[in-house]
Amino acid sequence: MEKSSEVGKSQENNKYQDILKTQWPPEKRLRPQMNLQERAKIFLPFAALKGHEENLENIAFSKEISLIR
């Protein structure tokens, strides 16, 4: 049974021979690399803490008012 499993593995490895020797990253890019600011604009709507900064400012402001009173 070991021979059949070895044959299966070698056939499986042959499927990926073209991928194994591929250079990464590819030398030729399909499009120019995007700068960091543009990438940030894409992911901005998915920010997990949207509004968090504003809430912190409101808390700090309310604590300042309570200290003044």
Side-chain angles (χ1 to χ4, degrees):
M1 284 200 164
E2 288 182 32
K3 284 194 172 198
S4 65
S5 66
E6 288 176 14
V7 170
K9 286 182 182 179
S10 71
Q11 287 175 351
E12 199 172 294
N13 289 340
N14 287 337
K15 290 192 306 187
Y16 303 107
Q17 287 303 314
D18 60 329
I19 297 172
L20 292 174
K21 296 181 182 178
T22 303
Q23 190 177 38
W24 191 258
E27 290 179 16
K28 184 178 178 184
R29 293 189 177 266
L30 298 176
R31 56 182 78 92
Q33 189 171 7
M34 189 180 297
N35 67 29
L36 192 57
Q37 287 80 17
E38 290 297 316
R39 286 180 57 100
K41 287 178 188 177
I42 291 173
F43 293 103
L44 186 63
F46 301 104
L49 298 174
K50 189 173 184 178
H52 182 69
E53 191 72 30
E54 185 180 324
N55 287 336
L56 289 177
E57 290 173 5
N58 290 338
I59 291 170
F61 182 72
S62 65
K63 287 186 177 188
E64 286 176 14
I65 290 178
S66 66
L67 289 174
I68 293 172
R69 290 182 186 169

